[in-house]
Amino acid sequence: AGADADAMEGGEGLLSVDYEVFGKVQGVFFRKYTQGEAKRLGLVGWVQNTSHGTVQGQIQGPTARVRELQDWLRKIGSPQSRISRADFSNEKEITALEHKDFQILK
């Protein structure tokens, strides 16, 4: 049981959510770590730096896993990063993943 039982709870579907992370998150390998964490959790989507010093992107995958990455984006990030906050928006259930993998966009 454990994690697998949680994933099945209520016929859990797929979630898509957009995010933006504020703080010292550029030039500290934040995108690379985010990609690594997303892949570890089996999530797809993307991450990129913005022109105003934040990092933004989209996460898609099983709801419980998406929640784990949201938590990670809020509290952990890359070792050198200093996260002040993470905003999440456009959260919605989806029937199929819209990305093949998790990419770092320029």
Side-chain angles (χ1 to χ4, degrees):
D4 291 333
D6 294 343
M8 295 307 294
E9 183 182 283
E12 185 182 62
L14 299 170
L15 202 63
S16 175
V17 65
D18 296 343
Y19 62 89
E20 185 167 13
V21 186
F22 299 78
K24 184 190 166 193
V25 292
Q26 288 192 3
V28 291
F29 299 104
F30 198 90
R31 290 169 302 165
K32 187 174 168 60
Y33 275 87
T34 301
Q35 181 187 48
E37 190 66 10
K39 284 180 185 281
R40 187 183 74 76
L41 291 167
L43 299 171
V44 301
W46 52 273
V47 59
Q48 70 180 166
N49 284 341
T50 69
S51 58
H52 51 274
T54 66
V55 168
Q56 68 177 14
Q58 187 175 66
I59 317 163
Q60 294 187 347
T63 303
R65 301 280 186 262
V66 169
R67 296 281 177 245
E68 282 188 60
L69 190 60
Q70 285 180 295
D71 237 29
W72 185 90
L73 287 167
R74 229 182 244 118
K75 303 173 185 155
I76 302 169
S78 67
Q80 302 296 313
S81 67
R82 296 288 176 272
I83 299 164
S84 54
R85 75 172 203 274
D87 289 352
F88 299 100
S89 57
N90 300 323
E91 186 173 301
K92 59 183 188 284
E93 286 189 11
I94 52 175
T95 50
L97 299 173
E98 296 161 353
H99 308 283
K100 281 193 171 60
D101 53 17
F102 198 92
Q103 295 186 302
I104 296 175
L105 302 183
K106 292 286 174 271

